Amino acid sequence: MAEGPGRSLGQALGMSWNGLRDVGTIDGGRPRPAAPQARKRVVALDVLRGFALCGILLANVKPIAHRGGELGTEQVPETTAAWVLHLLVDQRFFPIFSLLFGVGFSLLLESAQARARQPRVVLLRRLLALLAVGLVHFLVLWKGDILAVYATLGLLVLLPSTWLPRRVVAIAAGVLIVLSVGLLGGWYSVVPGLFLLGSALARYGVLKRIDSGPRTTAVLGLIFALAAVPTTVIQLRAGSPAAAFRIAYPAAGLLTAGAYVCGMLLLLRTRLAGPLTAVFRPLGRMALTNYLTATMLVLAISGVVGDSDRWPVGGVVAVAAAVLLVQWMWSVVWLRRCHQGPVEWLWRWVTWWQRPPLRRPR
């Protein structure tokens, strides 16, 4: 859906009520800004978001099923199949979602700067709304919710970064990612750096060149893949308690995630673009709705099947596949009739403080 760290945030939070009404109100007798129009979506971003959502669900099925296991909980795989799933999935997909969250934040800032008198208030409302949704999800459904984490880190890191030059944001992203991998063991600690990296990529205009330069994408993907192999070997040989594992595990996850992104972007330039877009784009366009409903569906399945701790890898994959199939069909049908998912629509309403159209004209 998704999926890092001028003026201080305190100044942003201290804005007046008039500031909170900057969109869809009349200020000093001036006419209201026009209703926000949806910008042209970048198909590749939707595909990547849907792809990441699938991997995140695979990693989260067991933790959701027994209402425990926050994102950072480490469980040693017991079978070869479990090891394969662990190496392909764990800490490999949420970095993609975190990066895309930073990208989306900067894209929204561009829109807000063009349409709102106080664009950062638009961003503030968006993050606060996400925080509210995440807290409800955390308190009612699943302790491993990441939405509240994203919203909090967005308030602490992303929003203040909008006052910084893009070069500073890019440098800060690199520093935070290195510190996270080298000292903190990854997981939640890597999110601020990925947020800023995604924001910097958007601010440097990388998205405008996403359909060009396949050679650069291929070289980057090859570098990520070649670096991920020895790092993963170190992760396997070091074992969980070792200091080398604490570095190799998040490093391998980031490198594999980078290889996944580059590989998907290259595949979108081939004949597989149509099938990949048909599969992943509907899921990605309704990522927030699907993230939340996945928790409900997995809990419902575990309530019927029971004893989720003993689910084999095949069972985990089957549950994830069943949930994703339901969500894909739901997303396709819904998006034929509506501009965006139901939770996305409410989120956009709160963000702009003005109700956007939901139904498509017949």
Side-chain angles (χ1 to χ4, degrees), residues 313-356:
V313 170
V316 170
V317 173
V319 169
V323 170
L324 290 169
L325 179 60
V326 170
Q327 291 186 325
W328 179 82
M329 292 189 295
W330 150 265
S331 299
V332 169
V333 172
W334 181 275
L335 291 172
R336 284 176 181 170
R337 294 165 172 77
C338 302
H339 292 286
Q340 54 194 155
V343 183
E344 286 79 7
W345 176 72
L346 290 171
W347 196 19
R348 183 175 178 83
W349 187 349
V350 175
T351 296
W352 292 100
W353 217 242
Q354 188 173 0
R355 186 174 66 180

Side-chain angles (χ1 to χ4, degrees), residues 14-230:
M15 289 177 177
S16 65
W17 171 245
N18 287 335
L20 288 173
R21 297 186 300 170
D22 66 317
V23 177
T25 62
I26 298 176
D27 181 13
R30 289 179 295 175
R32 298 192 279 190
Q37 301 295 319
R39 63 182 297 138
K40 183 179 179 181
R41 299 185 68 93
V42 181
V43 174
L45 294 184
D46 287 331
V47 172
L48 287 173
R49 195 174 290 112
F51 174 65
L53 193 72
C54 294
I56 289 171
L57 179 58
L58 270 173
N60 286 346
V61 164
K62 270 196 171 183
I64 292 173
H66 59 66
R67 291 176 178 258
E70 294 184 5
L71 189 59
T73 299
E74 295 174 7
Q75 297 180 350
V76 178
E78 298 178 353
T79 65
T80 300
W83 271 109
V84 171
L85 187 67
H86 169 67
L87 294 177
L88 293 177
V89 172
D90 288 348
Q91 219 177 121
R92 270 63 173 171
F93 284 92
F94 89 87
I96 302 175
F97 217 81
S98 301
L99 182 78
L100 294 176
F101 190 89
V103 170
F105 192 85
S106 282
L107 293 178
L108 178 63
L109 175 61
E110 290 181 11
S111 297
Q113 287 174 331
R115 299 164 186 164
R117 297 188 183 90
Q118 297 187 38
R120 289 174 180 84
V121 178
V122 176
L123 302 179
L124 177 62
R125 281 198 298 262
R126 189 167 183 82
L127 291 172
L128 291 177
L130 184 65
L131 178 60
V133 172
L135 288 175
V136 172
H137 187 228
F138 174 84
L139 295 172
V140 176
L141 293 175
W142 182 43
K143 301 301 182 184
D145 168 80
I146 201 172
L147 299 180
V149 175
Y150 274 22
T152 301
L153 292 175
L155 289 168
L156 294 175
V157 178
L158 270 178
L159 189 58
S161 76
T162 61
W163 280 279
L164 299 175
R166 60 185 185 178
R167 180 178 60 180
V168 174
V169 174
I171 293 172
V175 171
L176 289 175
I177 291 173
V178 170
L179 288 176
S180 170
V181 173
L183 300 177
L184 302 175
W187 293 115
Y188 289 142
S189 67
V190 80
V191 172
L194 291 171
F195 276 4
L196 293 183
L197 179 59
S199 176
L201 290 175
R203 292 173 66 175
Y204 271 102
V206 173
L207 297 182
K208 297 176 182 177
R209 300 190 295 273
I210 200 168
D211 292 328
S212 61
R215 182 175 300 177
T216 301
T217 304
V219 171
L220 280 175
L222 182 61
I223 292 172
F224 284 136
L226 291 176
V229 171

Side-chain angles (χ1 to χ4, degrees), residues 286-309:
M286 291 177 51
L288 182 55
T289 297
N290 288 328
Y291 175 80
L292 295 171
T293 56
T295 302
M296 302 176 192
L297 291 171
V298 171
L299 288 175
I301 293 172
S302 67
V304 174
V305 178
D307 201 10
S308 60
D309 287 332

